[in-house]
Amino acid sequence: MTTTTPTAGPSGSVLATPDELGVVLTDEPAAGDGSTSPGVPLASLVRLALRRNPRRAHLLVSTVLAKHVPTVPAVALLAGEALGARVADVLDGGARLDAVAATRLRAVLDLQQQADTATESGNVSDALHRAATTLRTDLAAVRPTLPDVLVLGFAETATALGATVAEALGAGYLHSTRHDPPGATPAAGFDEAHSHATAHRLLPAEDDWLPADGTVVLVDDELSTGATARATIRALHAVAPQRQWVVAALVDLRSDEDVAATEALSTELGAPVAVVALGRGRVALPDGLTDTAAELVAAVAAPLTTAPADATAPVDAMAPDREPTSDGRPVPAPPRASRPGAVTVVAAPPTAVDRTGTPAARVRTPRTDVEGIAADLARVLTDASGRVPDRVLVLGTEEHMATPLAIADALRRRSTADVRSSTSTRSPVAVFDDPAWPIRSGIRHRSHDVTVDGPGERYAYNVHGFDAIVVVPEPGTERAALEGPDGLLDVLAAVTPRVVLVDSALEPAGAPESAPRPLTGPCFGSYEPDEVTWLLQDLADAALEADTADRERAIQLEGANYAESLPVEYVPSESYEELYRDALGRSADRIAEAVGIVTDLVLRDRPNAVLVSLARAGTPVGILMRRWAEQQRGVRLQHYTASIVRGVGIDETALRWLAAHHDASQVVFVDGWTGKGAITRELTDALDRFAASDGVRFGDELAVLADPAGCTPLHGTRDDYLVASACLNSTVSGLVSRTVFNRAWTPEGTLHGAKQYRELGPRDHSRSFVATIAERFAAVRPRVDAALAADAGPESRAVDWRGMRTVEAIGAEYGITDLHLVKPGVGETTRVLLRRVPWQVLVRDPEDVDIAHVVALARERGVPVVTRPDLSYSCVGLIHPLGSRVSDTGTDPAADTGDTAATTGADA
């Protein structure tokens, strides 16, 4: 052992640093995982701590696990997703976590170290959050589809890590547990010899929880010897032999003998056993470390905080005189000035517990309404003056890590606070008030769970110094188990001014079993999770695509709604994509200016507006408006996407969710452009019906970039010009399909649905489109300021419905009795060509570069292009009328070649 003179810590105690104890970490290349990318240095993933445990003196505390050390939630999620990418690369030979991605991961972890040591960590924390979420989204874009895979996470430290790996693989998930629910019969069990609490059990809800001849991935935070993993594999393989096994950990510290033992196990089973990790190396321990550590702990370890014997934290529960919202959720008590020791309670819907298993089909869907909980928390944590706490900790309890981590990430996206996440633990760790050590403070409280080893003491570390702590206990936990002199809530109230309890027991009776669970990236869509929350359900497993001609017949002749099915997604040719890129280059400044104008018009009346874009064309516009508000006006707005369907209205389940979590008067609906104004009228009618049924009034003004229909005062321009995103479908809208309203897949009380086309990821322009426009914001800001200064007020933006008059005239001329078949404007004409059966395209000037893509699409489909110089729009698309949808006086719909095509010559 290396002997040196101890140094004085800030508390005045004489304290050796971790280096001075002689424990040495050495990085080594990955062992046997076939990876070609460099590993992450161990020092970026773990720090040395000391246990209060006679079995093993040292403890390597993870800095990315959100367990002992409060962590930026996006970093903890990224660590799991990166590990999942490494597993996927081993399973299918991919290169997702390649050298470039690994370098970016190390850069994120370097930022984390800066954030942990910075005196003012706010700016560094923001940069860290952005870098982590961006890399998460990039990794999600290359997620695999792997059949017959089950992920098993080890309690208590790796339950969230395992869930994140399972999500990255699209695999089923189950974690081991020490819980002892009444009547539970474990399917399997095993011991972890070096752990403070050794017994593990598996309590799957389904009998067929193990795949047959599939792949099982065991996930732990650290592999010290691999003995527990080997024992688990041997036991489970005897129950159900697998084709292959994978052991995944953040750090792999196995010796050569341990590596050989794993290889021998593979030979014994006749099935490969791969081991993957983010960091690989060795830990060298000096002789006598156990005695040295025990002496050091006894001499200078700081005491743990407990609640004063006579203290009982007052609980500020839900206000009893407040009625539940229209969807049955109770409304949180109004914000108030926090007082030391006070506990505020926020309701939460029940959540599935991962220890009973999550099927692969549901592993990528939220297990509870984390977005709704985060919205409620953001409101509760804001005091009467609008001040937000500087530092907030979201604290899970023991095995319950995944949902608290997801809530913390959602809260971080909604708040200007520096939000961290960690979890209480059984592990007794020594506390040293010295920056050289990772565990600098701690609390001790009694257990509130029923476990196989009975009640005992529990701990939470580094919880001091937060302005507020949000406690997210295991679902079903009774509040009384958390209260009292040695209860978790009372002990926390002694170290922070504000404690907030997320209580699943407050969900009212009669609430729907499947509460709405909004989606975000990277689980759904290709946008970063900060950009948009999708008020949709994922219909990935639904067979909804139908032939375009069959859809058109069903819509026009059989009375089907166009949203009951999906068209086959158009995959643009390279020449067509070149037209898109050209259009984007020419129109970027104009789009940026329109974004700035319409956003500033919204902010005039609603400085804290909640943007709700109409999926899917409105989604990139809402994202751009949010960016303008933040980058140019310093205002952070919340942004959602919801479905609106002609003939049905806007999704009422989505409206109820919004009403439960936001002030309806601040909601502004967003779309890309107007055609003839049909959706504007649909929105007004739907919101009127909702006000009558639910008593909540949303404003019906629609904010758009271009309003050639003259139907909304909130517009960037009334010119009919090309908004480049109209050229493409899902590949400029987050890889998300148009929305689906089909009672077979979207039952009453559930959100409308959509699908994500991950297979189109290589052609995705969604984020690059937004980035291209946002890059022009600074340049166009003077023009935006001038336009707003010159704005003459409501009279200059008055609604005149000019578009509907044009459509009525065209319908009369062509004998079209159903005006839904007339689609004016460049955006709507593009949709006709991409998603419907087009009959004719009318253009004002076929040489107009803004409609070059329209002419190209028409050429691809053999659709006549008719020149009409008198058009008030740049172009109009006519859907092929079937049956009686065209009068006898109109042009014969069968005559779609010949003279009509000749008006534009050979290019038709």
Side-chain angles (χ1 to χ4, degrees):
M1 174 180 176
T2 303
T3 304
T4 58
T5 304
T7 59
S11 61
S13 60
V14 177
L15 177 62
T17 67
D19 287 344
E20 291 167 344
L21 290 181
V23 178
V24 178
L25 291 176
T26 305
D27 294 310
E28 293 186 354
D33 68 357
S35 172
T36 59
S37 64
V40 177
L42 294 179
S44 297
L45 296 167
V46 294
R47 294 180 64 189
L48 177 68
L50 297 181
R51 300 171 181 260
R52 294 178 180 269
N53 184 343
R55 297 179 182 176
R56 190 160 67 162
H58 77 286
L59 173 69
L60 293 181
V61 173
S62 173
T63 58
V64 299
L65 196 62
K67 185 64 180 178
H68 300 87
V69 177
T71 308
V72 172
V75 173
L77 292 167
L78 171 61
E81 288 157 356
L83 183 59
R86 182 146 281 177
V87 173
D89 289 345
V90 168
L91 294 182
D92 66 7
R96 297 168 184 86
L97 199 68
D98 58 11
V100 174
T103 298
R104 292 174 62 193
L105 176 60
R106 291 197 300 274
V108 168
L109 299 181
D110 288 344
L111 270 176
Q112 177 179 251
Q113 291 181 335
Q114 295 177 37
D116 288 341
T117 58
T119 305
E120 297 291 336
S121 63
N123 291 337
V124 179
S125 181
D126 284 345
L128 172 58
H129 171 79
R130 287 193 299 271
T133 53
T134 298
L135 181 51
R136 290 181 62 207
T137 308
D138 290 343
L139 289 176
V142 291
R143 278 179 173 166
T145 300
L146 299 170
D148 303 324
V149 178
L150 173 70
V151 175
L152 293 178
F154 282 93
E156 65 177 39
T157 52
T159 56
L161 181 67
T164 310
V165 169
E167 183 177 304
L169 298 173
Y173 181 58
L174 175 70
H175 73 67
S176 67
T177 183
R178 298 181 179 105
H179 280 258
D180 191 23
T185 302
F190 50 90
D191 287 339
E192 189 176 9
H194 66 265
S195 175
H196 177 69
T198 62
H200 287 253
R201 302 196 302 169
L202 296 175
L203 303 176
E206 305 295 334
D207 293 336
D208 58 347
W209 58 282
L210 268 174
D213 191 32
T215 298
V216 176
V217 181
L218 306 183
V219 178
D220 209 348
D221 60 318
E222 172 194 327
L223 285 180
S224 52
T225 66
T228 301
R230 292 194 297 272
T232 304
I233 291 172
R234 189 174 278 110
L236 294 181
H237 197 79
V239 174
Q242 299 299 313
R243 183 171 62 254
Q244 59 185 334
W245 295 85
V246 180
V247 181
L250 294 174
V251 295
D252 178 3
L253 303 173
R254 294 174 301 150
S255 67
D256 292 339
E257 292 77 12
D258 296 323
V259 171
T262 301
E263 293 172 349
L265 177 63
S266 178
T267 302
E268 171 191 333
L269 301 179
V273 180
V275 177
V276 300
L278 295 185
R280 161 75 180 162
R282 302 291 173 88
V283 55
L285 305 176
D287 294 337
L289 177 62
T290 301
D291 293 338
T292 303
E295 294 171 2
L296 185 63
V297 169
V300 297
L304 298 169
T305 299
T306 57
D310 59 349
T312 300
V315 175
D316 182 18
M318 312 301 291
D321 59 343
R322 300 192 61 161
E323 293 295 322
T325 61
S326 55
D327 67 347
R329 285 180 62 101
V331 178
R336 53 160 179 78
S338 61
R339 61 184 185 272
V343 178
T344 304
V345 183
V346 171
T351 176
V353 181
D354 289 331
R355 67 169 180 267
T356 61
T358 304
R362 290 194 298 108
V363 77
R364 284 179 179 165
T365 62
R367 293 160 184 81
T368 191
D369 180 11
V370 295
E371 299 297 327
I373 295 170
D376 290 343
L377 287 171
R379 184 165 50 184
V380 166
L381 290 169
T382 304
D383 67 19
S385 66
R387 183 182 177 277
V388 177
D390 291 330
R391 302 188 73 234
V392 176
L393 174 67
V394 177
L395 183 69
T397 56
E398 299 188 52
E399 297 173 8
H400 187 51
M401 295 180 66
T403 297
L405 181 59
I407 291 172
D409 185 54
L411 180 60
R412 175 62 183 78
R413 290 185 271 109
R414 292 177 176 276
S415 173
T416 58
D418 180 5
V419 180
R420 305 294 178 103
S421 182
S422 65
T423 316
S424 65
T425 177
R426 298 159 169 264
S427 181
V429 184
V431 172
F432 299 116
D433 185 14
D434 189 296
W437 291 87
I439 304 300
R440 300 188 59 188
S441 67
I443 63 169
R444 181 173 65 242
H445 61 95
R446 74 169 187 276
S447 169
H448 56 269
D449 292 322
V450 178
T451 57
V452 291
D453 53 349
E457 291 184 337
R458 301 294 185 260
Y459 313 92
Y461 298 107
N462 293 358
V463 297
H464 295 64
F466 287 93
D467 301 302
I469 297 178
V470 176
V471 180
V472 187
E474 188 87 10
T477 300
E478 294 184 5
R479 193 188 308 170
L482 301 167
E483 297 174 335
D486 57 350
L488 176 59
L489 297 180
D490 292 74
V491 179
L492 289 175
V495 301
T496 185
R498 187 79 181 275
V499 179
V500 179
L501 171 65
V502 177
D503 191 348
S504 61
L506 287 178
E507 182 70 8
E513 291 184 6
S514 180
R517 298 174 181 181
L519 304 166
T520 66
C523 303
F524 186 79
S526 62
Y527 294 115
E528 294 183 15
D530 302 61
E531 305 276 29
V532 60
T533 296
W534 306 83
L535 295 173
L536 297 169
Q537 58 176 305
D538 187 356
L539 300 181
D541 298 325
L544 291 162
E545 286 78 9
D547 176 77
T548 302
D550 291 341
R551 290 184 75 248
E552 199 64 51
R553 283 192 291 271
I555 293 167
Q556 293 197 43
L557 302 181
E558 300 171 14
N561 189 286
Y562 66 93
E564 292 178 13
S565 62
L566 290 173
V568 176
E569 189 74 4
Y570 170 67
V571 179
S573 65
E574 179 55 39
S575 61
Y576 184 81
E577 288 209 353
E578 183 59 37
L579 285 174
Y580 160 76
R581 289 189 288 269
D582 178 66
L584 179 58
R586 285 184 289 100
S587 63
D589 281 356
R590 196 171 186 182
I591 297 171
E593 183 176 347
V595 168
I597 291 172
V598 72
T599 306
D600 285 354
L601 287 173
V602 167
L603 294 176
R604 275 185 177 181
D605 297 328
R606 299 177 179 91
N608 296 307
V610 176
L611 304 178
V612 180
S613 55
L614 303 181
R616 64 185 165 182
T619 306
V621 179
I623 290 172
L624 285 166
M625 291 176 66
R626 181 184 178 276
R627 285 205 185 183
W628 175 276
E630 183 170 15
Q631 294 177 9
Q632 302 301 315
R633 306 304 182 200
V635 178
R636 181 178 293 180
L637 303 180
Q638 295 302 311
H639 175 221
Y640 300 91
T641 276
S643 168
I644 189 168
V645 174
R646 196 184 66 246
V648 174
I650 194 164
D651 186 346
E652 290 192 349
T653 302
L655 291 180
R656 292 188 181 103
W657 192 96
L658 289 166
H661 302 296
H662 295 284
D663 181 350
S665 68
Q666 295 300 306
V667 170
V668 178
F669 295 95
V670 174
D671 209 352
W673 55 84
T674 61
K676 56 181 172 288
I679 287 296
T680 307
R681 288 181 171 175
E682 189 79 53
L683 179 65
T684 296
D685 292 345
L687 295 179
D688 285 345
R689 292 194 301 271
F690 188 78
S693 65
D694 287 62
V696 179
R697 167 59 70 182
F698 289 90
D700 66 347
E701 287 184 333
L702 185 64
V704 296
L705 297 185
D707 178 35
C711 60
T712 177
L714 294 178
H715 56 263
T717 180
R718 281 206 160 128
D719 294 340
D720 180 25
Y721 77 100
L722 175 62
V723 177
S725 56
C727 294
L728 302 173
N729 277 338
S730 67
T731 53
V732 79
S733 303
L735 294 181
V736 173
S737 73
R738 65 164 307 135
T739 59
V740 174
F741 175 78
N742 183 323
R743 284 306 184 207
W745 296 98
T746 60
E748 187 75 32
T750 67
L751 295 164
H752 291 190
K755 300 179 78 169
Q756 180 177 359
Y757 298 114
R758 290 187 181 275
E759 67 274 15
L760 298 182
R763 309 183 78 105
D764 189 16
H765 300 279
S766 303
R767 292 160 71 195
S768 63
F769 169 76
V770 170
T772 298
I773 305 302
E775 286 172 358
R776 313 296 178 93
F777 283 169
V780 303
R781 178 168 172 170
R783 299 208 299 269
V784 173
D785 293 341
L788 269 292
D791 182 54
E795 62 274 12
S796 67
R797 293 179 269 109
V799 170
D800 57 19
W801 295 99
R802 65 187 71 170
M804 189 60 72
R805 293 196 301 272
T806 298
V807 167
E808 290 168 350
I810 292 173
E813 178 181 352
Y814 282 81
I816 298 174
T817 57
D818 183 354
L819 296 184
H820 291 313
L821 303 181
V822 181
K823 302 292 187 181
V826 62
E828 294 306 298
T829 303
T830 304
R831 287 177 167 184
V832 169
L833 290 163
L834 291 176
R835 302 207 295 248
R836 304 294 294 271
V837 176
W839 176 25
Q840 300 181 44
V841 172
L842 314 181
V843 300
R844 187 168 55 205
D845 176 7
E847 302 302 320
D848 182 354
V849 292
D850 269 352
I851 63 168
H853 73 290
V854 169
V855 175
L857 280 175
R859 183 185 300 116
E860 282 185 12
R861 285 156 171 70
V863 178
V865 178
V866 181
T867 301
R868 291 288 301 269
D870 59 328
L871 284 181
S872 58
Y873 289 89
S874 63
C875 56
V876 176
L878 303 182
I879 297 173
H880 203 305
L882 305 178
S884 61
R885 300 298 181 102
V886 59
S887 71
D888 292 338
T889 60
T891 304
D892 182 359
D896 54 3
T897 59
D899 290 343
T900 50
T903 57
T904 58
D907 286 344

